[in-house]
Amino acid sequence: GAGVSQSPRYKVAKRGQDVALRCDPISGHVSLFWYQQALGQGPEFLTYFQNEAQLDKSGLPSDRFFAERPEGSVSTLKIQRTQQEDSAVYLCASSPKGLAGHNEQFFGPGTRLTVL
Amino acid sequence: AQSVTQLDSHVSVSEGTPVLLRCNYSSSYSPSLFWYVQHPNKGLQLLLKYTSAATLVKGINGFEAEFKKSETSFHLTKPSAHMSDAAEYFCATRGNQFYFGTGTSLTVIP
């Protein structure tokens, strides 16, 4: 069965460019999470969707970061006017249910963003 | 507030010897705790999770972890390291979101 997929796997952007990162969660999964993983660090929470509703965006570092999941399936993380400090691996994870309970998250391979 | 602390940023063991990766947690109530493994250029893979059903949790690839409330610990162990175990390991807990530790890099020496 298909797991979580992300595209592109690698992205190089010049400082100031806008980028869009895509996440295809496991079919039918209710919850979708985005994380930012800097080099040598653990994943840091960015935002959470339950179906199409963005219930938590407290981890987004600035208003240059925007995420959407309009039909409750595929999600896009957009970063406007990229800066060098945005360079990181962006991980997407999905979970079959909502936040209640002990559901695990299934992670995609990540998109490695390098801003020059 | 919930958090986890991984006590070692790097652990090195010889092949065939035991592995111990340490994780302490902070939680105001009974936590959900997880161990994930990350191989280079791969996504995080769940090794095991604690959900209060049993304090000793067995996971995949021979790994297990014991929840010790008195020590607020959830250390990951394996009796005998294999070369394929070399990877980055993350302890995590969840509340309204997942909170990950900073990771422990495991090196296995042949």
Side-chain angles (χ1 to χ4, degrees), chain B residues 7-22 78 80-83 85-89 103-110:
Chain B
L7 302 176
D8 307 292
S9 60
H10 187 87
V11 170
S12 184
V13 301
S14 296
E15 189 176 18
T17 64
V19 176
L20 170 63
L21 305 182
R22 299 184 293 166
K78 182 173 181 177
S80 176
H82 191 273
M83 294 299 294
D85 295 329
E88 191 81 17
Y89 291 80
T104 299
S105 177
L106 176 64
T107 298
V108 181
I109 303 167

Side-chain angles (χ1 to χ4, degrees), chain B residues 77-100:
Chain B
T77 61
K78 182 173 181 177
S80 176
H82 191 273
M83 294 299 294
S84 61
D85 295 329
E88 191 81 17
Y89 291 80
F90 293 96
C91 180
T93 187
R94 68 166 295 173
N96 291 330
Q97 54 173 275
F98 264 60
Y99 301 89
F100 285 86

Side-chain angles (χ1 to χ4, degrees), chain A residues 5 13 28 35 43 47 51 58 60 73 83 91:
Chain A
S5 61
Y35 293 87
T47 186
N51 296 309
S58 62
L60 296 176
S73 178
Q83 304 295 315
L91 296 169

